[in-house]
Amino acid sequence: MKRRHFLGLSGLTGLTALLPGVSMGFPRIKLEAAAGLERITLSDEEWRERLSQKEYYVLRQHGTEAAFSSPLNDEQRKGEYRCAGCDLPLFNSDTKYDSGTGWPSFFAHIEGHLLSQFDFSMIWPRIEYHCARCGGHQGHVFGDGPEPTGLRWCNNGVALRFVPA
């Protein structure tokens, strides 16, 4: 665990103690890369050549696309949603649902294909997740999704590529 993440996590308990009625509310997830999954490591210049400007902003700079801007938000066909950076399958269409947030949302992911970390860029910390192969930023996971998991994997559409079945 990186030092800044440890220090940030230890400070969260004190922060919530100052705010009556506020709980951490973080989903309980533990993500590990699949055995044998080879990591892709490219230079910044190689990523810039490989990705569009919008893809680079989201995948490599942890950006967020505008809500309701991705055609994948309305995608209804059967298939796979893959990382736009390295083509690793991340989600299956049977786990996609309309969360009403304006971003493609899923209640489950393909095990071993995502990794997570805390994101302290907003006032309130969130859990950010990344492609386990290339490290590309995908989105954030929240504990307000539907059953059976109760999770909402809220993904940037530009960080995904849809492959119909």
Side-chain angles (χ1 to χ4, degrees):
M1 178 178 282
K2 292 181 183 175
R3 183 171 177 235
R4 67 184 172 105
H5 289 147
F6 175 76
L7 294 174
L9 290 173
S10 64
L12 290 176
T13 305
L15 175 64
T16 57
L18 297 174
L19 303 169
V22 174
S23 68
M24 290 301 291
F26 291 119
R28 294 174 190 229
I29 59 171
K30 183 178 179 184
L31 302 177
E32 295 179 9
L37 185 67
E38 288 189 41
R39 297 271 308 178
I40 293 176
T41 305
L42 300 176
S43 69
D44 190 57
E45 183 177 309
E46 290 171 312
W47 281 119
R48 286 184 186 275
E49 289 174 10
R50 183 179 206 163
L51 303 171
S52 72
Q53 192 173 14
K54 286 181 181 180
E55 289 170 338
Y56 182 84
Y57 170 67
V58 171
L59 289 165
R60 308 315 309 168
Q61 296 183 312
H62 305 259
T64 301
E65 68 187 358
F68 300 101
S69 66
S70 173
L72 292 183
N73 193 45
D74 297 320
E75 180 62 62
Q76 300 295 319
R77 295 175 291 169
K78 295 284 184 194
E80 288 182 331
Y81 293 84
R82 298 180 178 186
C83 175
C86 70
D87 207 39
L88 181 70
L90 303 178
F91 301 98
N92 290 312
S93 60
D94 58 349
T95 65
K96 186 175 185 277
Y97 73 101
D98 183 2
S99 65
T101 62
W103 290 279
S105 297
F106 306 85
F107 61 79
H109 68 286
I110 297 174
E111 290 294 325
H113 290 195
L114 294 176
L115 299 175
S116 65
Q117 69 183 38
F118 276 99
D119 171 9
F120 295 96
S121 65
M122 303 286 283
I123 293 171
W124 195 254
R126 303 175 292 172
I127 298 177
E128 178 178 281
Y129 62 93
H130 304 261
C131 171
R133 181 162 46 198
C134 72
H137 166 71
Q138 294 292 320
H140 294 85
V141 62
F142 302 96
D144 61 0
E147 293 302 324
T149 65
L151 298 176
R152 173 171 51 99
W153 298 86
C154 188
N155 217 99
N156 288 285
V158 73
L160 295 172
R161 184 172 72 84
F162 179 70
V163 177

